[in-house]
């Protein structure tokens, strides 16, 4: 919820893939605060959020407009915008997933065709609705030696296992940065642990770590997915620890829960490629490599920008949606059969509509 990632790709939604420029545009501060408050309150996340959805959509439109201007990209050259929106609720076992994004409003404002609402069809069909990046990960890693693990460390961690026989297995591993960030925000007012320096200065509490790893989620078979706040109540077990020891213990939890992914894949990969903000945390990267005793590298090692993969992914999935190609598989979300998804919102036939803002 710190910002909106925008990326340009050229692709056919299959084997052809060329990544272009990418950038991140921060949410307005008051909007980010409003989003965090809604996400933290289940009743709020389930309530109608029409005004908030409008504001989130307008922020995404503004980010796309700023991106086109920054990189001198002609609007007419953009065939499609894959617009994921902002997740405020993801509880697939209760058949709930909610992303704030008004596709019709965005298409009218941008004057570009939009695909949005990527997860609902999968969840409605009985899938987890996440992760949706695996098919894009497979396109990124075409030609690389397998088995290979691609890890995304965002708020929640997720992995894509690419097997030597073409298998694609994917699931959420557990927490990535969310618990560490929330802990340090409450303790020190910090948004994150820069390079993991606070955690590196602390000591892991074994009892607290064992309690965290005792969550039944880790024994559930893949595919499976998590809400960002799944572990929040359990993480209260570090409340009595110092800032450094609490950060160290929560960081160890991220590493241990990530390593536990090996329970659910047929063969331990010799190489892990890491995207998302967690790859910038040297402490996490070092500890994971030591824990796994294999190569753990940022995705930049294969020529991709780890900050833009999720944005590139939804551009790619938008193209697949328009072609009726699968966005998810039984082995990635648990959906009964390969499943397409996304809702198409065509650009208006008349000139672009300016955003109409209500009071306030």
């Amino acid at each position: 919820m710190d910002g909106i990632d925008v990326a340009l790709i050229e692709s056919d939604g299959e084997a052809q893939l060329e990544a272009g420029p990418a950038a991140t545009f921060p949410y307005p501060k008051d909007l980010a605060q409003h989003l965090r408050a809604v996400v933290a309150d289940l009743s709020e996340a389930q309530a109608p959020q029409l005004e908030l959805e409008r504001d989130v959509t307008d922020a995404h439109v503004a980010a796309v407009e700023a991106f086109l201007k920054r990189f001198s990209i002609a609007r007419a050259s953009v065939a499609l915008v894959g617009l994921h929106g902002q997740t405020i609720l993801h509880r697939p076992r209760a058949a709930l997933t909610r992303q704030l994004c008004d596709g019709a409003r965005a298409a009218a404002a941008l004057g570009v065709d939009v695909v949005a609402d990527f997860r609902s069809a999968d969840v409605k069909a009985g899938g987890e609705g996440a992760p949706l990046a695996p098919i894009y990960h497979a396109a990124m890693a075409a030609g690389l030696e397998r088995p290979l693990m691609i890890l995304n460390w965002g708020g929640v961690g997720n992995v894509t296992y690419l097997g030597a026989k073409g298998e694609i297995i994917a699931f959420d591993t557990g927490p990535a940065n969310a618990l560490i960030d929330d802990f340090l925000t409450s303790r020190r007012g910090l948004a994150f642990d820069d390079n993991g320096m606070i955690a590196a200065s602390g000591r892991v509490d074994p009892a607290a770590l064992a309690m965290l790893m005792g969550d039944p989620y880790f024994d559930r078979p893949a595919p499976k997915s998590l809400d960002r706040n799944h572990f929040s109540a359990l993480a209260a077990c570090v409340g009595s620890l110092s800032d450094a020891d609490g950060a160290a213990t929560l960081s160890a939890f991220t590493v241990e829960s990530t390593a536990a992914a090996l329970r659910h894949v047929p063969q331990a990969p010799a190489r892990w490629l890491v995207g998302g903000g967690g790859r910038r945390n040297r402490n996490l990267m070092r500890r994971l490599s030591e824990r796994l005793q294999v190569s753990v590298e940022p995705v930049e090692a294969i020529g991709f920008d780890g900050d833009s993969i999720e944005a590139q992914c939804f551009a790619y999935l938008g193209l697949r949606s328009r072609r009726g190609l699968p966005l998810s598989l039984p082995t990635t979300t648990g959906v009964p059969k390969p499943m397409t998804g996304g809702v198409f919102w065509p650009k208006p036939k008349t000139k672009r509509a300016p955003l109409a803002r209500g009071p306030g």
Side-chain angles (χ1 to χ4, degrees):
M1 289 175 284
D2 55 347
I4 299 164
D5 297 329
V6 186
L8 184 72
I9 65 166
E10 184 173 338
S11 178
D12 59 359
E14 293 189 87
Q16 179 197 349
L17 173 62
E18 183 176 341
T24 298
F25 300 88
Y27 272 125
K29 187 175 180 180
D30 58 344
L31 179 54
Q33 290 174 341
H34 190 178
L35 281 168
R36 289 191 178 97
V38 168
V39 169
D41 185 335
L42 180 60
S43 62
E44 279 290 299
Q46 295 183 85
Q49 295 288 347
L50 297 180
E51 184 177 343
L52 181 59
E53 181 168 61
R54 180 201 70 185
D55 291 345
V56 167
T57 302
D58 291 356
H60 280 71
V61 167
V64 173
E65 294 283 6
F67 179 84
L68 296 177
K69 183 176 181 180
R70 179 181 298 183
F71 295 104
S72 301
I73 297 166
R75 188 182 310 272
S77 71
V78 180
L80 189 69
V81 176
L83 196 60
H84 176 268
Q86 178 65 55
T87 297
I88 60 169
L89 179 68
H90 185 70
R91 299 200 171 194
R93 301 185 97 184
L96 293 172
T97 189
R98 191 170 184 197
Q99 287 75 44
L100 296 182
C101 177
D102 183 337
R105 183 179 178 88
L110 289 169
V112 182
D113 291 347
V114 166
V115 172
D117 195 9
F118 286 92
R119 301 185 189 273
S120 295
D122 186 277
V123 170
K124 186 176 181 180
E128 293 276 336
L132 291 185
I135 286 176
Y136 182 65
H137 288 160
M140 285 171 49
L144 297 181
E145 187 175 345
R146 302 185 180 192
L148 173 70
M149 196 78 94
I150 298 183
L151 167 66
N152 177 59
W153 262 344
V156 169
N158 57 71
V159 289
T160 299
Y161 173 86
L162 301 172
K165 298 178 180 178
E167 313 100 302
I168 304 177
I169 301 172
F171 51 96
D172 286 350
T173 57
N177 302 302
L179 294 180
I180 306 165
D181 293 350
D182 291 351
F183 177 76
L184 290 175
T185 297
S186 66
R187 288 292 185 93
R188 296 193 180 186
L190 298 175
F192 61 96
D193 185 5
D194 190 12
N195 272 325
M197 290 188 292
I198 297 173
S201 70
R203 301 177 70 175
V204 175
D205 184 301
L209 179 58
M211 183 179 298
L212 291 163
M213 286 302 299
D215 190 288
Y217 178 79
F218 300 115
D219 292 323
R220 278 179 52 196
K224 53 185 177 176
S225 68
L226 284 164
D227 182 79
R228 182 188 184 280
N229 295 326
H230 176 91
F231 298 101
S232 295
L234 192 61
C237 69
V238 303
S240 62
L241 302 179
S242 69
D243 295 356
D245 290 355
T249 302
L250 292 174
S251 296
F253 182 32
T254 292
V255 169
E256 284 301 311
S257 59
T258 301
L262 294 177
R263 302 176 191 174
H264 307 293
V265 299
Q267 184 180 354
R271 188 184 195 190
W272 290 56
L273 296 169
V274 187
R279 81 192 192 289
R280 298 185 182 278
N281 185 316
R282 293 177 186 171
N283 181 58
L284 285 179
M285 293 287 281
R286 176 182 57 79
R287 290 183 65 106
L288 184 63
S289 181
E290 291 171 352
R291 173 67 177 79
L292 297 172
Q293 291 296 296
V294 298
S295 174
V296 175
E297 307 166 77
V299 293
E300 281 78 1
I302 62 168
F304 282 84
D305 175 4
D307 290 327
S308 62
I309 286 174
E310 294 285 305
Q312 292 168 359
C313 168
F314 285 100
Y316 184 80
L317 295 184
L319 292 166
R320 289 182 68 87
S321 175
R322 294 296 295 138
R323 296 188 60 193
L325 297 171
L327 310 189
S328 55
L329 307 170
T331 54
T332 62
T333 67
V335 75
K337 61 181 181 180
M339 187 87 188
T340 192
V343 177
F344 177 60
W345 298 97
K347 64 185 177 184
K349 296 186 184 301
T350 56
K351 64 183 288 187
R352 265 190 318 132
L355 292 174
R357 298 302 300 267

